[in-house]
Every structure is written in C-alpha cells, then in structure tokens.
C-alpha cells in the first residue's frame, strides 16, 4: 500500500498561525549584576527558551549579545523563530546593556592599539563575573555564541585571541577593527585546535574604509584551510552599516546551523532520494551533528517524515525495519515503531505480522500524520484483503 505524505508544505501552511501569536510565548527577563571589576551595577536581558521550565533536564547553548541595548531584540527574535522551527537548537539569549558605557567598555589606545584599562575591566566582567553567573543560574551547555557590531565586534575578538575556549561562534556585524586585530584574528583561527565558526558581514553601502578593511580580512580568512574552521563572509546588497543587521543575523544563524537544520527540498531531492539507504543517510546526518556541534541531537519529526517518504518513493522496504529502531529510541511510546514495522512486513509479504503491528500502534500516542484514522485505513485494507 503506497501512500505519500506532504513533507515540505507544512511550514508555509502554519506560518500565519505562528506569526499571529508569536510573541505570546517569548518573554524577556530584565536583570542586574553588581560588578567588582567595573565597580558598578550593570543591566542585562535574558530570553529563555519557550519550554525552558517544562524540560528541567535539558541544557541549552548560550548566545551572548553585546550592545544589547539595541542588538538584543533582533537577535532574540531570530533565535526564538529559528528555534521554533527547529532550524537551530533553542538557546538562552543574553544581551548586555552598554548604553552610556560603550565608549569606555571597548576603548583601545590610539597609539599602541591595546585595550585600555576600562576595556580590560569590561572584559574581566564578562569573563569572570557575568558568564560564570549565567552558567550557575541557567542550564547552559558548552556551545556558546558571541554577537557584536562595529567597534564592539572588534572588542569581542579579544576572546578569540586571548581566551578562544570561551566561545565557539563569533558573529561580526560590520566590524570596525583596530590596527593589527585582523592579523591576530587570522593567526588565532589558523592555529586553533578547536572548532570555530566565524561569520563576518558587510554591505554594499557600508562605510568605505570599513568595507575595504573587511574585504582585506576576507582575503586572508578565505585562504585558511583548516578542518575545524567554518568561515562565512556576507556582503549584503542595498544595505548600510546599520541596516545590514536585520539581514545578517538570520544569515549567520542559517550558516552556523546549516548541518543541524531539517532536511529541505533541495537536500531531499539531491541527497536523500539518491542514497543507497535513506535510513543510513539520516543516521549519518545526525552523527555529523553530534560530531560538529558536540551534543546529542534530538531527531526532528520533519526529518523522519522525509526519510519515510524516500523509503516509499524508492521502495527501500528493508529500511522500514531499520527505521523502526530509530523510532523506538527517539519516539518511545508512540505509534512510530509499530507503524514502520507494519509497513516493513506488509511490503515483504507478511500481512498477518503487519496487521498485528498496525493494531498495536492504534493504541499508542499519535504523532504527526500517523493518526488513528490514518492507521485505521491500513487495518481496514488488510481486513478486506485477507479477512482478519
């Protein structure tokens, strides 16, 4: 019995519903912390994942946003949106408010181009006070992203140069580098032993000197041949130093989490359908996610649906048996394991076993397209064909 399911129309169908109530579920927490290094109180904002309280055993990446007084909201909104669609893992987003402090926080000497005392104090505040406080307060895992713009992005790269273990991903929005910072960035990336994601954005209408500087840096970084470096350069058309932000943030997230993101129509057409075993392809994809990002990924239902479609389309019936084991591990107590076993036995000429598994699935939790009504069609068909 060959049935095909809609795998890629689902997102567009539900998008209006999502946008209609999108802000209902995401909340910003406003916090302060007394800093010994800065000798003053600093403000920061926190956005927790939507279901943070429902999953007390789950940990999340940290996204630290500098210039949080204006950059937090666009970053937090994109993180929430990407996480909702499982284009990236949900994350704890923290924005550091630098209004009134920015100049002293990121100050470099005009002669020696070295961080000034106030800049070093801000660096110490982030490294020794704020980040340890966040790790103690929230369930944060080892994957960390740092986002900044302009001169603050220049400051953010001190972490890459001096404490590269602090962050995995550096997102630079039209960075304005002090002399020699580009060379230090190049050396740090070229010699690192850790995985690093490095994104740089400029725009067609960016400041000319900034654009020239970024273009020069791109020439250097593009030449790095390092298996642990994931480098992305973005030259966004028809935007300025300021307006590029709303375009660069989703571009950067999409680039960094390209392996993590669900199977899309292009991947399905060019890779999944041509795979010897669609099931093996899926397991290899999730092994790559674990290897690249360093955590055990949860299987996405949309990916399971895509692989199920590929098995049906290419008549790779033995893959249904493999698939049932994946379902048992990732969707326990649901209809999935028995449904895929039922399809395996049905297509391999064992209708009695297929019938038993479809019946067993009928009493379990529905998932996606595999509803009781959907299963009943299989059960009824087998009854009519074989008299069970």
């Amino acid at each position: 019995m060959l049935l095909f399911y809609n795998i890629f129309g689902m997102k567009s169908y539900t998008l209006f519903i999502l946008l209609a109530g999108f802000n209902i579920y995401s909340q910003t927490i406003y916090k302060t912390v007394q800093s010994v290094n800065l000798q003053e109180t600093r403000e920061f904002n926190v956005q927790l994942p939507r279901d943070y309280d429902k999953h007390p055993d789950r940990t999340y990446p940290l996204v630290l946003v500098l210039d949080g007084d204006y950059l937090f909201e666009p970053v937090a909104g994109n993180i929430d949106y990407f996480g909702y669609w499982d284009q990236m893992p949900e994350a704890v987003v923290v924005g550091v408010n630098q209004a009134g402090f920015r100049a002293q926080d990121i100050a470099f000497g005009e002669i020696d181009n070295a961080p000034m005392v106030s800049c070093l104090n801000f660096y110490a505040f982030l490294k020794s006070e704020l980040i340890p406080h966040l790790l103690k307060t929230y369930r944060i895992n080892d994957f960390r992203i740092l986002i900044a713009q302009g001169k603050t992005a220049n400051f953010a790269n001190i972490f890459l140069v001096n404490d590269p273990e602090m962050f995995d991903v550096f997102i630079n929005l039209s960075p304005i580098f002090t002399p020699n910072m580009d060379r230090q960035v190049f050396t740090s990336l070229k010699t690192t032993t850790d995985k690093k994601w490095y994104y740089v954005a400029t725009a067609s209408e960016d400041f000319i000197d900034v654009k020239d500087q970024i273009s020069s840096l791109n020439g250097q970084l593009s030449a790095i041949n390092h298996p642990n470096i994931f480098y992305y350069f973005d030259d966004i058309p028809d935007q300025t130093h300021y307006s590029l932000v709303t375009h660069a943030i989703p571009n950067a997230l999409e680039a960094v989490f390209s392996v993590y993101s669900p199977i899309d129509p292009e991947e399905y057409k060019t890779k999944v359908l041509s795979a010897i075993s669609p099931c093996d392809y899926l397991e290899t994809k999730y092994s790559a996610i674990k290897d690249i990002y360093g955590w055990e990924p949860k299987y996405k239902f949309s990916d399971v649906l895509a692989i199920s479609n590929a098995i049906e389309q290419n008549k790779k019936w033995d893959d249904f048996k493999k698939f049932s084991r994946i379902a048992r591990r990732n969707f326990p107590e649901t209809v999935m394991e028995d449904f895929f076993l039922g399809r395996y036995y049905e297509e391999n000429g064992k209708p009695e076993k297929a019938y038993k598994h479809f019946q067993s699935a009928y009493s379990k939790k529905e998932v996606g397209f595999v509803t009781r009504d959907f299963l009943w069609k299989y059960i009824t068909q087998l009854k009519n064909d074989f008299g069970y």
Side-chain angles (χ1 to χ4, degrees):
M1 184 185 299
L2 183 61
L3 295 178
F4 287 93
Y5 325 115
N6 178 16
I7 40 178
F8 301 119
M10 178 173 57
K11 290 186 180 180
S12 59
Y13 178 77
T14 58
L15 181 59
F16 174 78
I17 299 173
L18 167 67
L19 293 178
F22 193 72
N23 291 325
I24 295 174
Y25 304 100
S26 55
Q27 298 183 33
T28 299
I29 305 169
Y30 298 90
K31 308 277 285 185
T32 60
V33 60
Q34 180 64 37
S35 170
V36 174
N37 286 284
L38 298 175
Q39 292 295 297
E40 60 196 11
T41 299
R42 284 298 183 96
E43 299 176 349
F44 64 95
N45 304 338
V46 181
Q47 176 180 278
L48 297 176
R50 296 180 179 218
D51 293 332
Y52 183 85
D53 293 332
K54 295 181 180 179
H55 301 285
D57 58 336
R58 188 176 298 176
T59 60
Y60 302 89
L62 169 67
V63 180
L64 185 64
V65 186
L66 304 183
D67 288 330
D69 38 294
Y70 73 88
L71 205 52
F72 174 78
E73 280 78 9
V75 171
N78 275 280
I79 297 290
D80 187 40
Y81 184 82
F82 273 68
Y84 181 92
W85 289 118
D86 210 9
Q87 297 284 332
M88 64 170 285
E90 293 182 298
V92 174
V93 187
V94 176
V96 181
N97 189 336
Q98 293 181 255
F101 303 100
R102 184 172 295 107
Q104 67 190 48
D105 286 347
I106 63 174
F108 279 66
E110 293 184 5
I111 298 176
D112 60 5
N113 298 307
M116 298 181 70
V117 172
S118 61
C119 180
L120 293 174
N121 288 341
F122 182 61
Y123 184 84
F125 160 66
L126 295 176
K127 176 184 175 181
S128 304
E129 296 182 286
L130 180 61
I131 293 176
H133 170 74
L134 297 173
L135 296 179
K136 183 178 179 180
T137 306
Y138 304 106
R139 299 192 308 275
I140 293 170
N141 61 31
D142 293 333
F143 197 79
R144 302 175 195 166
I145 300 172
L146 183 59
I147 303 178
Q149 184 189 20
K151 292 181 179 180
T152 310
N154 176 71
F155 162 83
N157 279 274
I158 303 176
F159 280 101
L160 176 64
V161 174
N162 291 345
D163 293 288
E165 74 283 354
M166 293 292 292
F167 292 95
D168 304 279
V169 181
F170 294 82
I171 296 177
N172 301 268
L173 306 173
S174 188
I176 302 175
F177 288 130
T178 52
N180 298 322
M181 180 60 79
D182 54 350
R183 172 54 56 181
Q184 294 180 69
V185 167
F186 172 79
T187 301
S188 297
L189 290 175
K190 187 176 181 180
T191 59
T192 185
T193 57
D194 300 321
K195 288 187 177 72
K196 290 287 177 261
W197 287 257
Y198 198 83
Y199 173 92
V200 182
T202 184
S204 60
E205 306 303 318
D206 205 345
F207 301 127
I208 295 176
D209 55 341
V210 174
K211 188 174 179 65
D212 289 345
Q213 187 183 48
I214 292 173
S215 296
S216 175
L217 175 65
N218 177 52
Q220 298 176 58
L221 299 187
S222 297
I224 295 177
N225 184 16
H226 194 310
N228 286 341
I229 299 302
F230 304 90
Y231 170 62
Y232 309 97
F233 171 70
D234 217 350
D235 191 352
I236 301 172
D238 303 320
Q239 301 300 320
T240 68
H241 177 78
Y242 303 102
S243 65
L244 68 79
V245 166
T246 56
H247 300 266
I249 291 170
N251 288 357
L253 295 176
E254 186 175 12
V256 170
F257 293 102
S258 59
V259 177
Y260 177 91
S261 60
I263 295 170
D264 61 19
E266 181 66 19
E267 183 180 4
Y268 180 80
K269 180 180 178 181
T270 61
K271 297 180 180 180
V272 175
L273 286 179
S274 61
I276 296 174
S277 166
C279 185
D280 289 349
Y281 177 88
L282 187 66
E283 291 193 296
T284 299
K285 177 182 175 75
Y286 278 77
S287 293
I289 293 173
K290 181 179 180 181
D291 179 61
I292 291 173
Y293 301 110
W295 67 75
E296 190 77 43
K298 183 178 72 171
Y299 275 61
K300 304 173 184 67
F301 175 72
S302 62
D303 285 348
V304 171
L305 180 55
I307 298 302
S308 177
N309 254 2
I311 294 172
E312 295 277 7
Q313 190 167 344
N314 289 340
K315 297 180 171 56
K316 303 277 188 177
W317 308 125
D318 287 348
D319 262 30
F320 271 135
K321 192 169 188 178
K322 296 180 185 179
F323 219 27
S324 69
R325 293 193 289 268
I326 292 177
R328 182 170 64 249
R329 293 195 307 267
N330 293 278
F331 301 92
E333 300 178 2
T334 71
V335 299
M336 302 299 279
E337 178 185 4
D338 278 308
F339 172 71
F340 290 132
L341 277 174
R343 289 294 294 120
Y344 166 75
Y345 285 120
E346 181 183 22
E347 296 296 344
N348 279 279
K350 298 180 180 180
E352 186 174 356
K353 287 189 175 182
Y355 181 78
K356 289 180 179 178
H357 280 287
F358 289 142
Q359 275 196 319
S360 178
Y362 192 81
S363 63
K364 296 181 179 179
K365 182 180 177 181
E366 298 177 343
V367 178
F369 69 92
V370 190
T371 63
R372 289 184 177 84
D373 288 341
F374 184 82
L375 284 166
W376 187 249
K377 295 177 182 178
Y378 281 93
I379 293 171
T380 302
Q381 186 66 50
L382 288 171
K383 277 184 177 181
N384 293 338
D385 289 348
F386 298 98
Y388 297 130

